[in-house]
Amino acid sequence: MDSELAKKVTTMFDHRRLNRSGSSSLFTAFAASVIALIVFTVVIVSNLPVREISEVVKIEIKTVVPYLPLRSEKELHVVNSITVKKNNNLEILETFGGKGVSEKFQQRATEFLRDDCEVNFMMTWISPAEMFGKREVLSVESVFKSHPKGCLIILSSTMDSPRGFRVLKPFLDRGYKVIAITPDLPFLVKDTAGESWLEEIQTGKRDPGKISLAQNLSNLMRLAYLFKFGGVYLDTDMIVLKSFKGLRNVIGAQTLEPVSRNWTRLNNAVLVFDKNHPLLRKCIEEFALTFNGNVWGHNGPYLVSRVARAVEGSDGYNFTVMTPPAFYSVNWIEIGKLFKVPRTEKDMKRVEVKVLEMQRRSYGLHLWNKFSSKFEIEEGSAMDKIVSDHCVICERISVS
């Protein structure tokens, strides 16, 4: 029956071919042969046992609508469900703790937080200790300039080392409370949705994606730490400008809608939350459910935006979204202007206005290091003044 069907199709196109000539006949003949081959293949495949097909197809492709999407950005993401073999990403996981460090981490963090801290700050550092440079040190300085009795934990296996200790020693010598502790991510995500996600990454059942897994682990770790302990998370390129003591359950907006002045994008470079806050738990759930390691920001600033948009105004979620001047008064496009001395009177007035606004309304200044790291601080520039006003050591720290 199958061979008869193939013959009928071939005969049909042979009949049409006889009625044409030249190059058209050649094209039709070729097309007839291709279609006959397709029909024959379909017939053969249709007769294969179901078990054989299922053994051949091992990759399942699903189109998924993002969980809790922003109203202004309802976009589709293609998520590949594949089996991922163990690779170097598993070595990265080791730097985020696991066997043998849980008790040490919990004990060290708990003992450190028992101190009489004005505000509890936390940072993460996933790069080598030697890369914790002048800008990162300035960020630490600014914490203690505004909070002399504050405490700062840096979650980092690389900074929890002799070299890292040398970086932090000038602060310790001056009596400031700062410590670097190797994190234990399995402990931090225990009893949350992040626990199953981490297990899937470890066993190769979840694709870590092309973006640095360490960066995404940092996104998860800040949420999990705050959920476990509470406090203030800061990116290491955030300059603290005034005391955070009056802030509670706060997240900052990066952009506003021009007309309504409603927020359109949040950022996770600063997070101020009580421990066990429901928004943090929801963010961890969102991280686990919609993780995408191929889209920058999807598991970070875009994530907190999606969740905050979805739960905003709901019972039980008590948090405040602060306008951009609070932490993001200068966007990543304009940040370079603060590093340079204004060349014209017009530029000088703009910078003066921006600095005055920061002095009145800003708790911190995000330096957007990814974009501003190429700029040197020119003497007499706005950044030069900001550095001198918010340092406590005010000298270059040697780590050699």
Side-chain angles (χ1 to χ4, degrees):
M1 181 66 182
D2 297 332
S3 60
E4 290 179 5
L5 178 60
K7 286 180 180 179
K8 288 181 180 180
V9 172
T10 305
T11 302
M12 178 180 67
F13 280 94
D14 285 344
H15 177 72
R16 292 183 179 179
R17 186 178 61 229
L18 291 174
N19 294 328
R20 297 180 183 177
S21 58
S23 60
S24 176
S25 298
L26 291 174
F27 175 80
T28 305
F30 175 77
S33 300
V34 170
I35 293 177
L37 179 60
I38 292 173
V39 172
F40 179 74
T41 303
V42 170
V43 169
I44 294 299
V45 172
S46 65
N47 289 327
L48 283 175
V50 175
R51 179 179 300 176
E52 292 180 6
I53 294 177
S54 63
E55 290 176 353
V56 173
V57 181
K58 294 184 179 179
I59 299 180
E60 180 185 3
I61 308 297
K62 294 182 178 179
T63 301
V64 181
V65 177
Y67 182 69
L68 301 176
L70 282 169
R71 294 190 200 119
S72 60
E73 298 180 298
K74 293 182 179 178
E75 51 190 14
L76 295 178
H77 293 288
V78 176
V79 179
N80 296 340
S81 176
I82 65 178
T83 300
V84 183
K85 294 183 180 180
K86 291 185 178 181
N87 52 32
N88 291 335
N89 284 319
L90 297 184
E91 296 178 7
I92 294 173
L93 288 173
E94 294 177 4
T95 67
F96 286 83
K99 293 181 179 179
V101 304
S102 178
E103 184 178 347
K104 289 182 181 179
F105 171 80
Q106 187 176 4
Q107 180 181 346
R108 293 177 69 191
T110 302
E111 287 179 356
F112 183 77
L113 295 173
R114 279 185 191 143
D115 291 337
D116 184 20
C117 300
E118 182 181 11
V119 179
N120 291 321
F121 288 90
M122 184 270 286
M123 297 176 176
T124 65
W125 185 253
I126 58 179
S127 300
E130 55 267 28
M131 294 182 67
F132 199 93
K134 291 185 290 182
R135 292 200 185 194
E136 290 74 29
V137 168
L138 173 60
S139 183
V140 175
E141 289 194 60
S142 70
V143 167
F144 293 117
K145 179 69 174 183
S146 298
H147 309 82
K149 295 182 179 180
C151 297
L152 171 62
I153 289 181
I154 302 174
L155 298 187
S156 171
S157 62
T158 58
M159 288 294 289
D160 187 9
S161 65
R163 187 180 184 93
F165 178 79
R166 290 199 297 273
V167 174
L168 301 179
K169 190 175 184 299
F171 295 98
L172 297 171
D173 291 343
R174 289 164 173 79
Y176 296 117
K177 297 174 182 177
V178 57
I179 189 172
I181 305 179
T182 300
D184 181 9
L185 191 56
F187 165 75
L188 290 173
V189 299
K190 188 173 178 58
D191 299 325
T192 72
E195 188 173 15
S196 59
W197 175 87
L198 184 59
E199 183 181 356
E200 290 176 357
I201 288 289
Q202 290 172 324
T203 57
K205 294 178 181 178
R206 182 72 74 103
D207 183 6
K210 300 176 182 178
I211 295 171
S212 165
L213 178 60
Q215 179 60 54
N216 281 319
L217 289 171
S218 174
N219 285 325
L220 176 59
M221 189 161 60
R222 71 191 67 176
L223 297 170
Y225 175 90
L226 291 179
F227 186 71
K228 209 83 166 184
F229 295 101
V232 178
Y233 167 78
L234 293 177
D235 269 4
T236 53
D237 59 350
M238 178 65 65
I239 306 302
V240 176
L241 301 178
K242 66 173 66 170
S243 176
F244 280 45
K245 196 171 182 179
L247 299 181
R248 186 179 177 190
N249 299 324
V250 159
I251 189 168
Q254 180 179 321
T255 56
L256 300 178
E257 203 281 327
V259 178
S260 69
R261 306 303 291 170
N262 293 326
W263 67 267
T264 56
R265 170 78 69 224
L266 305 184
N267 198 302
N268 64 340
V270 179
L271 300 169
V272 186
F273 282 98
D274 297 338
K275 71 176 183 177
N276 298 322
H277 196 282
L279 183 69
L280 297 173
R281 179 180 284 278
K282 200 72 174 175
C283 284
I284 296 172
E285 290 176 0
E286 170 75 355
F287 185 99
L289 287 172
T290 69
F291 178 82
N292 188 331
N294 297 311
V295 179
W296 186 92
H298 178 80
N299 314 300
Y302 299 168
L303 180 148
V304 293
S305 297
R306 294 194 303 272
V307 175
R309 180 70 76 199
V311 304
E312 196 172 28
S314 302
D315 292 338
Y317 292 92
N318 178 28
F319 66 96
T320 300
V321 174
M322 302 191 75
T323 55
F327 308 113
Y328 312 104
S329 57
V330 183
N331 63 41
W332 59 272
I333 298 175
E334 302 289 329
I335 191 67
K337 294 181 180 179
L338 297 186
F339 288 77
K340 301 177 180 179
V341 176
R343 306 300 187 219
T344 66
E345 185 176 347
K346 186 177 180 180
D347 287 341
M348 185 176 296
K349 287 182 178 179
R350 285 180 177 175
V351 171
E352 287 176 355
V353 169
K354 182 57 68 176
V355 171
L356 287 173
E357 180 189 42
M358 285 191 291
Q359 290 174 346
R360 292 196 311 267
R361 304 176 62 188
S362 299
Y363 287 88
L365 171 64
H366 195 210
L367 295 185
W368 309 100
N369 269 357
K370 184 177 180 180
F371 304 99
S372 68
S373 58
K374 60 185 177 182
F375 298 115
E376 292 290 334
I377 300 176
E378 295 183 4
E379 187 175 352
S381 65
M383 272 304 301
D384 185 37
K385 185 176 188 326
I386 291 170
V387 168
S388 62
D389 287 347
H390 297 90
C391 64
V392 292
I393 297 175
C394 304
E395 61 185 31
R396 183 172 180 175
I397 298 177
S398 174
V399 296
S400 60

